[in-house]
Amino acid sequence: MTRVLIADDSETILLLLRTRLEMEGYEVLAAADGVEVLEAIAAADPGPDILLLDAMMPRKSGIEALRELRAQGLETPILIVSAHQDELDAGAPTGAEVSGFVTKPIDFDALFARIEELTAA
């Protein structure tokens, strides 16, 4: 079973993502900000197979968490999620750091296909 860590500061979006992913058979870990992402990665055994990080969150953004995780050597695929293209343009991660971008509102069929592509063994 593919294990997905999702992070979003909106409880509604987090619940929607969790529900849809679990309905498709994914195991889901959730975080409300980048600090919780780093804590979840440190505590998870086994770690997630893929991360979906909201670009802008309090305390630590998804982009900041992405950069810290890459600096620590994490090679797990990471998708950055954002409702606003300008959030991504301002300090957007490079192709070497990020596995892709997902825009809100989320096209779940495209998201599931992307997750499968990035986690295929």
Side-chain angles (χ1 to χ4, degrees), residues 38-90:
L38 297 173
E39 291 169 351
I41 293 291
D45 186 26
D49 299 301
I50 189 167
L51 287 72
L52 304 177
L53 306 180
D54 184 21
M56 302 304 290
M57 296 183 285
R59 296 200 303 165
K60 188 177 296 283
S61 74
I63 294 171
E64 291 170 320
L66 161 80
R67 291 195 168 122
E68 283 190 42
L69 291 167
R70 293 299 189 228
Q72 294 171 11
L74 184 78
E75 295 180 8
T76 303
I78 300 175
L79 295 172
I80 295 293
V81 182
S82 178
H84 306 287
Q85 186 61 42
D86 58 331
E87 288 177 353
L88 298 176
D89 292 340

